[in-house]
Amino acid sequence: MTINELLHDFIEIYGKSVWTYSTYSLNLRHFKTYIEPYIGSLSVESVTTKQIEEFYIELLNAPSPSCLRETCSPNTIKLIHKLLNSAFKRALIWKIIKENPIENAMRP
């Protein structure tokens, strides 16, 4: 299973039933804008904490879709981390993975 597949399932199954509409929209936008194109094709079972930390560093230099900033903000990275961590926690519950590599990843 790829990160794209996990996040799609997580957002559709968990997010739609638990989040408010604005949280759902924001998480979906972060998934489509940042997660899908950068790390979406990685296997959930083989992703490492180091890869996630490198992804966060890469995001610091990524162009922002917002007109307000040139690059991805630290707050956006915090929200992406929260989304990934929640999805990987759910993957543990769903017995897709044995450990959560996001949990100990340091954000810049």
Side-chain angles (χ1 to χ4, degrees):
M1 171 177 267
T2 66
I3 291 177
N4 278 347
E5 292 167 334
L6 171 64
L7 266 288
H8 179 269
D9 290 349
F10 175 70
I11 290 169
E12 291 303 307
I13 295 168
Y14 181 82
K16 275 189 174 177
S17 63
V18 175
W19 299 332
T20 63
Y21 178 75
S22 61
T23 301
Y24 171 83
S25 297
L26 181 65
N27 283 334
L28 186 60
R29 186 171 72 230
H30 285 149
F31 166 58
K32 294 284 186 190
T33 305
Y34 297 110
I35 298 169
E36 189 174 50
Y38 287 92
I39 60 169
S41 62
L42 296 177
S43 167
V44 170
E45 297 87 354
S46 65
V47 70
T48 65
T49 301
K50 182 178 181 282
Q51 286 174 306
I52 297 302
E53 289 176 354
E54 291 169 345
F55 165 59
Y56 294 156
I57 291 168
E58 187 176 3
L59 285 182
L60 283 176
N61 300 313
S64 172
S66 164
C67 297
L68 302 174
R69 294 182 55 91
E70 288 183 20
T71 60
C72 187
S73 75
N75 189 55
T76 299
I77 295 171
K78 178 182 175 182
L79 294 173
I80 291 167
H81 174 79
K82 184 178 176 183
L83 173 60
L84 284 171
N85 195 37
S86 295
F88 274 74
K89 282 181 181 180
R90 185 57 43 184
L92 281 169
I93 293 167
W94 290 340
K95 307 238 186 275
I96 296 169
I97 56 174
K98 291 183 170 83
E99 63 180 44
N100 180 355
I102 313 300
E103 192 169 48
N104 295 315
M106 292 182 3
R107 295 185 324 266

